Amino acid sequence: MEALKQNACSPLEVTSEGGGSRTQLATMRAVGDVSHALARLLQKQGKTSVRELQAIDLHTHVYLPRYMDMLRTRKDVPFVRTLPGHDDERLIILPDEQKQIDEARATATSISAGRPIGGEYWDVNEKLRYMDHHGIQVSVLSLANPWLDFLPAKEQVLMARLLNKDIQDICSSSNGRFFAFGVIPQTLDDAIAELHHISELKNVRGIILSTAGLGKGLDDPEMLAFYQTIEKLGLTIFLHPHYGVGNEHYHNYGHALFLALGFTFETTVAVSQLILSGMLDQVPNLKLLLAHSGGTLPFLAGRLDSCVAHDLAISKRLQHAPSAYLKRFYYDAIAYHTPALQCLIDFVGSDRIVFGTDNPFFPPEVEDSNKQGLNDFDWPSTISNYEAMVDLNADIQRAILRENAQQLLQLPSPSCIHIDHIMSHLIG
């Protein structure tokens, strides 16, 4: 039997009766805060280890091997390659990064551009190791940006079909550990055709969609037929930002402001445009899940209501105030601290919030020699989302950790599955 050991001077540990430490849950964070917060969460849930939390993760990405192979062959962004002065592969998405690379080549200098991308980004067995270490029983996988919009239209159709088959095969071989959101091509007729195909895939419960929609914005009039198809098929849209907005202000600050502000502002703008278009009144049962806790929308909902109410040309299009539409949506709980999560709960209610991690992005900082075992470490980005839930009552915690996801995507209840069995099954 395992016992929880906590003191003021050491990280939270799970120990065996013999006293040997099996895992440390806070190796990368301030010891006192993490130990106290996680101990309280586990106590409320009646658990002795984070591994027992049985969370369902609805915001977790994978670059499928077929997709990685395609990126490795490309010469223009987006692409994956090993840069001069580095041993690891890097994912280059932003045009500014390609400019830096070209300048470095011209001067024969080393450059640190793009995102280091190891097996944790494309190997589902690494995903399982991460899940097992962090108490995640089920992950709903989705391809991360840049998705398919950079490909010619015909190639998008073929690649979407192949990637959706690949991810269904992974899910069907996982004994219930994996479900998925599929991908779609960017032309309306092809996208609708792929939606019908996705609806026939047992483990694919919806799609991941850029805030650009099919390329012209979520409020593009032709999107109505797309939304109506999604609604009719009972699929869920997982809405995710792509390139960010306001990027002209972030150049001197690496990726920090691009991710912290550009992504969240992109969601805020795109969803506001969708609401103000009036299309949502024609698809009242559309299931929409917003990434990153909806950007800044929960905080700005009242201001949006007030501004729309004072603009009759806009308000007359809508049957309800903008905040009423926002309360229809689902949101992931990737807020990283309690006040932001509590704001979201106060606004939409705890039954509209699902657990997410954004894995494999925001990995722990470890020595290069340890990168092959990255998923043996605690990921602070994941732990902080557990910590943000500590002050909630146990029923709300359970709802966010798994019950809301089960309801939204009609997922089975998590059950205890031995990770070694699943890994060997996937390896074959």
Side-chain angles (χ1 to χ4, degrees):
M1 181 175 179
E2 295 177 341
L4 188 67
K5 184 174 79 175
Q6 177 193 3
N7 59 55
C9 301
S10 65
L12 186 66
E13 297 178 346
V14 177
T15 62
S16 65
E17 286 183 335
S21 174
R22 280 186 50 199
T23 183
Q24 291 186 328
L25 303 179
T27 56
M28 310 302 294
R29 297 289 301 274
V31 170
D33 291 343
V34 172
S35 297
H36 182 62
L38 283 176
R40 289 173 60 199
L41 176 63
L42 293 170
Q43 183 179 32
K44 283 187 177 181
Q45 291 301 310
K47 308 296 184 183
T48 60
S49 165
V50 166
R51 292 173 181 246
E52 299 174 12
L53 285 174
Q54 294 190 331
I56 298 178
D57 185 356
L58 263 63
H59 187 160
T60 183
H61 298 298
V62 62
Y63 287 116
L64 295 165
R66 185 189 304 275
Y67 190 80
M68 286 289 293
D69 289 343
M70 175 185 64
L71 292 179
R72 290 184 181 111
T73 65
R74 290 180 53 80
K75 296 181 179 179
D76 298 317
V77 290
F79 58 80
V80 168
R81 70 183 54 151
T82 302
L83 301 181
H86 297 276
D87 296 327
D88 53 2
E89 288 188 313
R90 289 180 174 255
L91 172 64
I92 310 298
I93 294 179
L94 302 178
D96 282 352
E97 292 176 327
Q98 178 154 21
K99 183 178 179 181
Q100 294 173 32
I101 292 169
D102 293 340
E103 291 173 351
R105 282 204 186 109
T107 57
T109 57
S110 175
I111 184 172
S112 179
R115 183 187 300 276
I117 184 166
E120 68 275 8
Y121 283 83
W122 49 264
D123 186 342
V124 293
N125 290 297
E126 285 297 316
K127 179 74 75 176
L128 286 166
R129 288 177 63 192
Y130 161 82
M131 290 164 59
D132 191 49
H133 187 80
H134 292 88
I136 298 165
Q137 196 67 20
V138 175
S139 285
V140 182
L141 304 175
S142 56
L143 187 69
N145 63 314
W147 303 297
L148 301 176
D149 65 356
F150 55 89
L151 293 175
K154 289 184 179 180
E155 292 183 30
Q156 289 183 25
V157 173
L158 175 61
M159 185 58 68
R161 183 60 56 95
L162 291 172
L163 292 174
N164 289 330
K165 180 184 183 301
D166 289 348
I167 208 164
Q168 169 58 33
D169 289 345
I170 289 169
C171 293
S172 64
S173 299
S174 72
N175 200 20
R177 296 299 299 275
F178 291 138
F179 290 83
F181 293 115
V183 292
I184 55 168
Q186 295 287 289
T187 56
L188 179 61
D189 290 343
D190 292 329
I192 289 177
E194 192 61 25
L195 289 176
H196 284 281
H197 172 68
I198 286 171
S199 71
E200 297 173 355
L201 300 177
K202 180 179 179 181
N203 298 95
V204 183
R205 299 303 168 90
I207 60 163
I208 186 166
L209 182 69
S210 160
T211 48
L214 298 180
K216 300 178 183 178
L218 299 177
D219 58 340
D220 178 26
E222 79 168 14
M223 289 293 292
L224 179 58
F226 179 81
Y227 298 140
Q228 289 171 330
T229 303
I230 288 271
E231 182 184 50
K232 180 180 179 180
L233 294 173
L235 299 173
T236 295
I237 297 174
F238 175 32
L239 189 66
H240 196 288
H242 195 344
Y243 292 114
V245 296
N247 296 345
E248 65 273 16
H249 302 293
Y250 312 146
H251 295 302
N252 296 327
Y253 304 97
H255 282 181
L257 294 183
F258 169 73
L259 294 172
L261 304 182
F263 264 28
T264 52
F265 293 167
E266 181 180 338
T267 297
T268 301
V269 172
V271 173
S272 297
Q273 290 172 330
L274 170 60
I275 291 171
L276 269 57
S277 74
M279 277 191 283
L280 291 177
D281 288 319
Q282 300 182 64
V283 281
N285 297 313
L286 183 69
K287 294 190 291 185
L288 194 62
L289 168 63
L290 306 190
H292 313 123
S293 296
T296 63
L297 286 166
F299 183 79
L300 294 176
R303 182 176 180 85
L304 187 59
D305 281 354
S306 178
C307 292
V308 168
H310 287 84
D311 190 329
L312 295 181
I314 300 299
S315 62
K316 69 181 182 181
R317 300 178 188 170
L318 308 178
Q319 295 179 10
H320 310 284
S323 60
Y325 301 97
L326 290 171
K327 291 177 181 179
R328 292 182 186 175
F329 304 153
Y330 288 82
Y331 300 76
D332 70 32
I334 302 179
Y336 298 112
H337 73 152
T338 301
L341 181 59
Q342 190 62 57
C343 174
L344 180 60
I345 292 171
D346 291 343
F347 177 53
V348 301
S350 59
D351 61 334
R352 292 277 165 171
I353 304 171
V354 298
F355 186 71
T357 64
D358 217 349
N359 177 264
F361 298 100
F362 308 106
E365 295 294 330
V366 300
E367 296 295 330
D368 287 346
S369 60
N370 290 324
K371 283 187 177 179
Q372 294 302 315
L374 198 60
N375 288 317
D376 295 326
F377 287 83
D378 301 324
W379 287 50
S381 55
T382 300
I383 299 299
S384 64
N385 283 309
Y386 280 134
E387 291 174 346
M389 301 171 58
V390 164
D391 292 329
L392 306 177
N393 70 49
D395 289 340
I396 292 177
Q397 289 174 349
R398 279 193 297 274
I400 294 174
L401 285 171
R402 53 186 173 274
E403 292 171 355
N404 294 340
Q406 291 172 249
Q407 177 69 25
L408 173 61
L409 299 182
Q410 297 299 296
L411 301 176
S413 298
S415 58
C416 294
I417 304 171
H418 196 277
I419 191 69
D420 292 337
H421 168 73
I422 300 306
M423 289 178 68
S424 63
H425 183 51
L426 286 174
I427 293 170

